[in-house]
Amino acid sequence: NAGVMQNPRHLVRRRGQEARLRCSPMKGHSHVYWYRQLPEEGLKFMVYLQKENIIDESGMPKERFSAEFPKEGPSILRIQQVVRGDSAAYFCASSPGTSNYEQYFGPGTRLTVT
Amino acid sequence: GQQVMQIPQYQHVQEGEDFTTYCNSSTTLSNIQWYKQRPGGHPVFLIQLVKSGEVKKQKRLTFQFGEAKKNSSLHITATQTTDVGTYFCAGKRGSQGNLIFGKGTKLSVKP
């Protein structure tokens, strides 16, 4: 059973470009969470999605950031017009049910904005 | 909003010494989870505690959930170099909503 897959593992974008981060949950998992982690810091919750639904986006900036988890295909975290402050590691996690269950994390995407 | 505080932020120990990290919430939690993140890696689930006063052990690791379900601790006995990493607690209030992660305790072990 493959784990949570994220790609790309490393992404370099110039200021103003768009970044698209992909996450394929573990097989059988229908709940996906996105987190941002700055160096030497904790995990900051961004958004919680189920298939075709956003359950909680309270941690996601209202501008430039969006997330989706379509019926088919991976979950996508999209950052438009990136700025240097967006540079961070973005982790996706999945679980088989609500957040009463443990979360399985992917390897992360390291985004660098130049 | 709900916060989960974790102390200490850093801990340096000699191999063989014990280590404890503490997690405190401003509100009652329905459950608490612990994760470990190795340097350069991703968080890995360790355990979940649900019941008031619950204690669980995994080899040299002992996890406790406070009676009031507002605090938790992770204790490692006789640390080894393989214990190096950052330990995060994550709590949830109620049956809905997302996990709130603490900022983690970074453990370094000197051989």
Side-chain angles (χ1 to χ4, degrees):
Chain A
N1 189 7
V4 178
M5 314 266 292
Q6 284 188 255
N7 67 80
R9 296 288 303 274
H10 300 273
L11 182 61
V12 179
R13 284 286 177 265
R14 290 200 179 110
R15 278 179 296 170
Q17 291 185 319
E18 178 180 287
R20 277 187 181 233
L21 288 61
R22 293 175 190 78
C23 170
S24 297
M26 282 183 73
K27 190 176 180 181
H29 287 192
S30 59
H31 297 248
V32 165
Y33 311 81
W34 285 94
Y35 296 88
R36 179 162 72 178
Q37 186 176 42
L38 294 169
E40 303 295 316
E41 298 226 351
L43 291 155
K44 183 175 182 297
F45 167 79
M46 297 182 75
V47 62
Y48 166 24
L49 309 107
Q50 258 186 294
K51 283 285 186 182
E52 299 185 277
N53 284 311
I54 296 175
I55 307 300
D56 182 349
E57 56 182 348
S58 59
M60 200 155 68
K62 296 207 183 316
E63 295 181 356
R64 302 188 299 109
F65 286 74
S66 63
E68 62 176 9
F69 189 14
K71 188 177 179 181
E72 302 288 339
S75 175
I76 307 282
L77 178 67
R78 184 181 176 207
I79 311 173
Q80 294 177 290
Q81 298 174 327
V82 295
V83 300
R84 288 225 172 103
D86 296 332
S87 295
Y90 291 84
F91 289 98
C92 161
S94 74
S95 70
T98 68
S99 49
N100 288 318
Y101 294 83
E102 64 265 30
Q103 297 184 11
Y104 295 83
F105 282 79
T109 294
R110 269 82 177 167
L111 172 65
T112 302
V113 179
T114 61
Chain B
Q2 181 186 2
Q3 287 194 8
V4 173
M5 309 298 291
Q6 218 177 323
I7 56 169
Q9 190 175 358
Y10 300 96
Q11 185 77 58
H12 309 281
V13 300
Q14 191 76 35
E15 189 172 22
E17 291 181 337
D18 292 357
F19 158 76
T20 305
T21 172
Y22 301 91
C23 186
N24 293 290
S25 169
S26 54
T27 57
T28 302
L29 302 169
S30 61
N31 65 37
I32 196 150
Q33 299 178 7
W34 285 90
Y35 292 78
K36 177 184 178 182
Q37 184 177 23
R38 292 182 187 275
H42 59 276
V44 175
F45 173 79
L46 293 176
I47 209 156
Q48 175 169 265
L49 304 169
V50 178
K51 298 176 184 174
S52 168
E54 190 170 12
V55 177
K56 286 188 178 180
K57 292 192 175 185
Q58 287 179 353
K59 297 182 181 177
R60 294 179 294 104
L61 277 60
T62 302
F63 303 84
Q64 289 189 323
F65 200 9
E67 294 289 341
K69 301 183 75 172
K70 284 186 175 183
N71 54 68
S72 181
S73 65
L74 157 59
H75 179 83
I76 303 178
T77 305
T79 54
Q80 299 175 358
T81 54
T82 52
D83 295 325
V84 162
T86 301
Y87 293 84
F88 293 99
C89 64
K92 196 166 78 72
R93 185 180 59 183
S95 59
Q96 302 298 324
N98 52 280
L99 283 176
I100 306 295
F101 277 79
K103 290 196 172 183
T105 295
K106 188 173 182 178
L107 172 65
S108 61
V109 179
K110 190 175 179 182

